[in-house]
Amino acid sequence: MQCAMVIYLNDYKAFFDDYGLRFCLDELARHLDGGKAHVLIADGYDLIPAKVVDSYRNVGVLISDVSELNRTIFADNPHLSKIKPLTEYLQICFVRHLILERYFASESTLSFDADLVWRYNPYELAKIWTGGSFVLDGSPCLTFAKNGEWFRSYREGLKRWCSDPAFGEEFIDASLGRTGVQHDQDLLQHLNATGQIDQDFKSIRAAPEAAKFCLFANPLAPGHGLPSKKRTDVVF
């Protein structure tokens, strides 16, 4: 299994210091216990000082330039022209799963947003998930893709949304006031609702070991992560 995030940079100081990326990477490194995690830079790798890349490599956080892979994915998939007018943030959100699929050759992957602060070894956490693939409560802030089938389903769903103007137009996220697919989170929820991608909600909290974790996607609603009255030693 691989642990990874896909991000872009347009300002080194803003991302690493002002937005807290350095803190998040430091905490990730502190909890890897000798393991490796990948930071795949889809754009802006050249803004990162070489000494920063080297220092993180020494503690297991491997920062890699995947800008050429990102460009290749767009070149190989003309339908992705639909997302080119979007902000770079949204473009990377939509294609990050395609980048992960190719970079790791469809290997099992735990991917997560760059602003997720790890307080636990991600590899140890993944051991409690023995079921199928999932995005945490419908949010790709934490995505556990168990095999290539999940990546294939997402890739095909993205192609259909890009190619068919009517695909996903009935999707509604009342909590965010969104209608239609506007984000990869919307697309993933629509694919799940229509049975086009594996979403094993039960796997997230099914194991007895999960009882000590508070697993939730919305920081404003931590209660969603506490379904069991028998939880012990909750880790926040």
Side-chain angles (χ1 to χ4, degrees), residues 182-201:
Q182 300 181 35
H183 193 284
D184 70 323
Q185 175 171 311
D186 302 339
L187 178 60
L188 284 162
Q189 291 183 12
H190 180 67
L191 293 175
N192 171 57
T194 53
Q196 299 179 65
I197 198 167
D198 187 16
Q199 173 65 351
D200 190 353
F201 283 110

Side-chain angles (χ1 to χ4, degrees), residues 6-46:
V6 180
I7 64 173
Y8 76 98
L9 301 175
N10 54 27
D11 185 312
Y12 169 73
K13 183 180 183 304
F15 277 71
F16 269 77
D17 297 323
D18 300 342
Y19 302 159
L21 180 58
R22 189 188 309 277
F23 174 76
C24 292
L25 295 184
D26 288 348
E27 288 301 298
L28 174 60
R30 195 161 68 89
H31 291 88
L32 283 173
D33 300 327
K36 305 291 184 184
H38 295 266
V39 181
L40 307 182
I41 310 294
D43 187 30
Y45 177 86
D46 57 318

Side-chain angles (χ1 to χ4, degrees), residues 140-205:
C141 65
L142 186 71
T143 300
F144 194 36
K146 296 292 289 286
N147 49 49
E149 179 64 21
W150 188 92
F151 286 112
R152 183 194 63 78
S153 296
Y154 177 79
R155 175 167 33 85
E156 291 183 355
L158 177 60
K159 182 177 182 179
R160 185 174 176 188
W161 174 68
C162 288
S163 305
D164 181 357
F167 184 73
E169 64 180 5
E170 71 273 28
F171 174 80
I172 298 175
D173 187 330
S175 64
L176 297 175
R178 285 204 297 249
T179 58
V181 172
Q182 300 181 35
H183 193 284
D184 70 323
Q185 175 171 311
D186 302 339
L187 178 60
L188 284 162
Q189 291 183 12
H190 180 67
L191 293 175
N192 171 57
T194 53
Q196 299 179 65
I197 198 167
D198 187 16
Q199 173 65 351
D200 190 353
F201 283 110
K202 292 182 179 180
S203 176
I204 303 171
R205 304 178 181 93

Side-chain angles (χ1 to χ4, degrees), residues 50-195:
K51 64 180 181 180
V52 172
V53 175
D54 292 340
S55 67
Y56 277 114
R57 181 185 301 113
N58 292 335
V59 293
V61 177
L62 309 179
I63 302 176
S64 302
D65 182 5
V66 295
S67 57
E68 183 60 34
L69 174 57
N70 185 40
R71 287 190 290 270
T72 298
I73 287 173
F74 273 93
D76 290 348
N77 297 276
H79 55 272
L80 292 178
S81 60
K82 176 173 180 173
I83 68 173
K84 289 298 285 184
L86 303 178
T87 65
E88 188 167 20
Y89 163 73
L90 286 174
Q91 289 182 44
I92 298 304
C93 284
F94 275 113
V95 302
R96 56 179 160 176
H97 309 294
L98 308 188
I99 290 172
L100 292 166
E101 179 186 28
R102 289 205 188 183
Y103 193 82
F104 296 121
S106 299
E107 185 177 346
S108 174
T109 304
L110 175 64
S111 61
F112 38 88
D113 284 356
D115 57 357
L116 196 155
V117 180
W118 284 95
R119 301 295 195 188
Y120 197 80
N121 186 327
Y123 289 96
E124 291 300 313
L125 181 62
K127 288 179 181 179
I128 73 174
W129 297 322
T130 58
S133 302
F134 64 82
V135 292
L136 181 58
D137 293 342
S139 170
C141 65
L142 186 71
T143 300
F144 194 36
K146 296 292 289 286
N147 49 49
E149 179 64 21
W150 188 92
F151 286 112
R152 183 194 63 78
S153 296
Y154 177 79
R155 175 167 33 85
E156 291 183 355
L158 177 60
K159 182 177 182 179
R160 185 174 176 188
W161 174 68
C162 288
S163 305
D164 181 357
F167 184 73
E169 64 180 5
E170 71 273 28
F171 174 80
I172 298 175
D173 187 330
S175 64
L176 297 175
R178 285 204 297 249
T179 58
V181 172
Q182 300 181 35
H183 193 284
D184 70 323
Q185 175 171 311
D186 302 339
L187 178 60
L188 284 162
Q189 291 183 12
H190 180 67
L191 293 175
N192 171 57
T194 53

Side-chain angles (χ1 to χ4, degrees), residues 190-235:
H190 180 67
L191 293 175
N192 171 57
T194 53
Q196 299 179 65
I197 198 167
D198 187 16
Q199 173 65 351
D200 190 353
F201 283 110
K202 292 182 179 180
S203 176
I204 303 171
R205 304 178 181 93
E209 298 87 347
K212 70 175 182 178
F213 294 98
C214 180
L215 297 165
F216 59 97
N218 187 343
L220 300 179
H224 291 175
L226 304 172
S228 173
K229 295 181 180 179
K230 297 182 179 181
R231 61 188 184 274
T232 58
D233 302 322
V234 174
V235 177

